[in-house]
Amino acid sequence: MSKPNAAQKLAADLVVLAEAATPGPWVTDGDYVNEHGSVIHAYIANGRRGGGRIAGAFANCLVKTDEQCRANAAFIAGANPKAVLVLIAENDRLRDLAQTEIDNASESAKEVAGARMTLYALEQKTDRLKAENEALRKIISGSATSCGAAVSVDCSLDFMGDLPNEISSVITKLRRDAERYRWLRRVDSDYAICTPGQDWGDMIESHLDAQVDASIAASGREQRHG
């Protein structure tokens, strides 16, 4: 607990004095005027019924006028024990409220700091995912280009949507080429796919795939009718 400051010590002293004094409220209760018409005393009384006079303000060389003497009495009456205790209680309430607000602000500051750290971590994660995504795009684009997929190498969403069909198309072509290769290895002569007047060199320059496909189809028909 922190050491009380001067104002807090004064408040504590006033509480002790107020609790020991005649309870308020206090009121002014007339004055005493001498034979020259000057106010000598301005009286203060307890404001409760039958309370009687309990104090007075006196005229002297420091009190310049009768009205000032009466004003001193009014101030004393106003600053009675009850009023002092009410003011100190309100001061304590406001102090506690201020401390609560400070504590809440401190907690809010901690929450904001935590949110900033979380946001920073999310930004770092987002940047990392972007970098990984870009690297993956390049890998997919390079792979698609290598296998002959006829799609954009930008690896856009449209690219990703078309890629399965493109890869399937490439695989179908590769399977067809493999089928032609296996068939060519099985035939006894190059001339099995030659048309009259052609030799192997002519086929290389012409539509070889179409002729091989036609020969495979013809071979299949012969096997079915053989």
Side-chain angles (χ1 to χ4, degrees):
M1 184 175 180
S2 61
K3 184 178 180 180
N5 57 35
Q8 291 171 332
K9 290 180 64 177
L10 176 60
D13 292 342
L14 285 174
V15 167
V16 173
L17 294 174
E19 290 177 345
T22 302
W26 292 356
V27 295
T28 56
D29 188 31
D31 45 46
Y32 173 75
V33 180
N34 66 10
E35 65 274 15
H36 303 293
S38 299
V39 174
I40 302 301
H41 303 108
Y43 298 109
I44 298 110
N46 189 285
R48 298 179 180 182
R49 182 183 297 273
R53 291 175 177 173
I54 56 175
F58 300 93
N60 57 33
C61 60
L62 297 178
V63 180
K64 301 182 182 302
T65 64
D66 293 345
E67 290 306 315
Q68 191 173 63
C69 184
R70 294 187 178 103
N72 290 343
F75 176 79
I76 294 171
N80 64 79
K82 181 179 180 180
V84 169
L85 292 174
V86 168
L87 290 174
I88 291 175
E90 177 64 8
N91 181 72
D92 290 343
R93 186 188 72 83
L94 293 175
R95 182 189 61 202
D96 293 342
L97 179 61
Q99 186 60 51
T100 299
E101 293 297 326
I102 291 172
D103 293 342
N104 291 340
S106 178
E107 289 300 318
S108 297
K110 291 179 182 178
E111 292 176 0
V112 170
R116 286 178 176 173
M117 292 181 64
T118 300
L119 178 60
Y120 176 76
L122 289 175
E123 289 175 344
Q124 294 292 102
K125 184 176 181 180
T126 299
D127 291 342
R128 185 172 64 254
L129 290 175
K130 285 181 179 179
E132 292 175 357
N133 184 57
E134 183 60 28
L136 182 59
R137 284 176 182 270
K138 291 181 179 179
I139 292 172
I140 294 175
S141 296
S143 300
T145 302
S146 298
C147 71
V151 290
S152 170
V153 295
D154 292 335
C155 201
S156 62
L157 290 177
D158 291 338
F159 170 93
M160 297 301 294
D162 292 338
L163 186 58
N165 293 332
E166 290 295 331
I167 291 177
S168 177
S169 175
V170 170
I171 291 174
T172 299
K173 293 177 182 178
L174 291 174
R175 286 175 176 170
R176 187 60 178 162
D177 286 342
E179 182 182 359
R180 294 182 183 118
Y181 173 73
R182 288 193 297 269
W183 187 85
L184 286 171
R185 291 188 62 182
R186 289 197 304 269
V187 297
D188 295 332
S189 171
D190 296 339
Y191 295 99
I193 60 172
C194 294
T195 59
Q198 283 185 323
D199 58 22
W200 184 255
D202 293 332
M203 287 189 295
I204 295 297
E205 299 296 332
S206 63
H207 300 87
L208 179 59
D209 286 348
Q211 290 182 252
V212 171
D213 291 341
S215 297
I216 292 173
S219 175
R221 287 194 297 271
E222 291 175 359
Q223 290 178 359
R224 287 195 299 272
H225 296 291

